[in-house]
Amino acid sequence: MSSPQEDADREAIAALTLRLRSGGIRDNRVLSAIERVPRRLFLSAALQKHAHTDTALPIECGQTISQPTVVAWMTAALEIAPEHKVLEVGTGSGYQAAVLGHLSREVHSIERYRTLADLARERLSTLKISSVTVHHGDGLEGLPEKAPFDRIIVTAAGPEIPPALLAQLADGGKLIMPVGPKGGVQVLTLAEKKGATIVTRALQEVRFVPLVEGVASRL
Ligand code: SAH
């Protein structure tokens, strides 16, 4: 038996997924991963009524949960297979990590705010998503002990792709990140490692909170 809240969530997510599909997201694996994650559970009580609208929303520690359309674009661009080892930099609420967790058997997500990392861990455990491990640390350094990664997704913006992340990308691997100056135009950039070369492609303009060096000293 499902509760009236669960039924309402399911209906709202189905409507959101339809919207993503008509907005041009055609990857069924990505759409069904999104369909399996109740975004409401990743938001504070006051914002839950907006959970299934297609907008970015504020979360704890002054950060934001990405717009579902952007989550879908970024996830689809990575073409994740179940056997790919995935790294996310910028766990935030844990929503994107949950979507990734339905596509890959091994996902690592790093967050510089301990509060956010703890909350995300709790939410993922409530949803029984055991493929995701949340780490508290500085994502600019990547996660050398788990490298190389087949796919890397950075959900905060920086002026360039951090060199440590490129170093931890497997040969043939793909990385996606919003690249641009603080406060300026950021371009979603897809990088692919082919032997010693990195081929990059600019996708579309986006707006993300900045990547910040080091773990947060408070919160
Ligand atoms: N993917 C998130 C949204 C992320 S917002 C979601 O689905 O909700 C960007 C996040 O990146 C913020 O939580 C911010 O604290 C984090 N961040 C910024 N710089 C970081 C760094 N150097 N290492 C790890 N996390 C970082």
Side-chain angles (χ1 to χ4, degrees):
M1 275 291 285
S2 51
S3 69
Q5 181 68 67
E6 282 168 338
D7 289 341
D9 277 352
R10 207 166 299 123
E11 229 170 87
I13 300 173
L16 173 66
T17 317
L18 256 176
R19 196 191 148 121
L20 296 176
R21 188 186 290 280
S22 58
I25 308 289
R26 292 287 140 76
D27 188 323
N28 285 327
R29 288 188 65 241
V30 170
L31 290 169
S32 66
I34 286 176
E35 209 156 15
R36 291 172 71 186
V37 182
R39 193 167 178 251
R40 187 176 59 80
L41 299 188
F42 294 82
L43 290 162
S44 60
L47 289 171
Q48 292 193 352
K49 56 181 176 294
H50 305 297
H52 300 111
T53 55
D54 190 22
T55 52
L57 291 166
I59 57 169
E60 298 78 5
C61 306
Q63 305 302 310
T64 54
I65 183 172
S66 308
Q67 182 186 354
T69 290
V70 175
V71 170
W73 279 339
M74 291 178 81
T75 311
L78 283 177
E79 300 180 306
I80 298 169
E83 65 276 14
H84 286 155
K85 199 197 279 187
V86 181
L87 174 69
E88 179 190 29
V89 173
T91 313
S93 67
Y95 176 71
Q96 169 78 69
V99 172
L100 296 170
H102 284 303
L103 292 166
S104 153
R105 282 192 283 268
E106 185 176 350
V107 179
H108 296 275
S109 183
I110 316 179
E111 171 56 52
R112 64 186 293 276
Y113 282 103
R114 186 179 293 282
T115 305
L116 290 177
D118 289 347
L119 279 168
R121 236 179 250 124
E122 248 175 69
R123 292 162 178 156
L124 291 161
S125 140
T126 303
L127 291 173
K128 299 189 171 56
I129 300 177
S130 55
S131 47
V132 181
T133 309
V134 176
H135 305 257
H136 176 230
D138 182 2
L140 286 174
E141 292 169 11
L143 203 61
E145 67 272 27
K146 298 289 178 187
F149 296 96
D150 304 294
R151 299 291 186 261
I152 300 181
I153 175 168
V154 185
T155 60
E160 54 162 21
I161 300 174
L165 298 185
L166 285 177
Q168 290 171 31
L169 193 59
D171 192 15
K174 291 181 181 173
L175 175 153
I176 193 160
M177 168 177 164
V179 177
K182 204 174 162 179
V185 173
Q186 304 158 1
V187 178
L188 210 50
T189 304
L190 183 67
E192 196 170 351
K193 195 176 207 173
K194 292 183 174 164
T197 43
I198 304 285
V199 181
T200 61
R201 192 150 57 91
L203 303 179
Q204 62 257 59
E205 285 182 16
V206 282
R207 211 165 177 77
F208 273 83
V209 296
L211 266 173
V212 179
E213 200 180 338
V215 294
S217 52
R218 294 176 45 244
L219 302 176

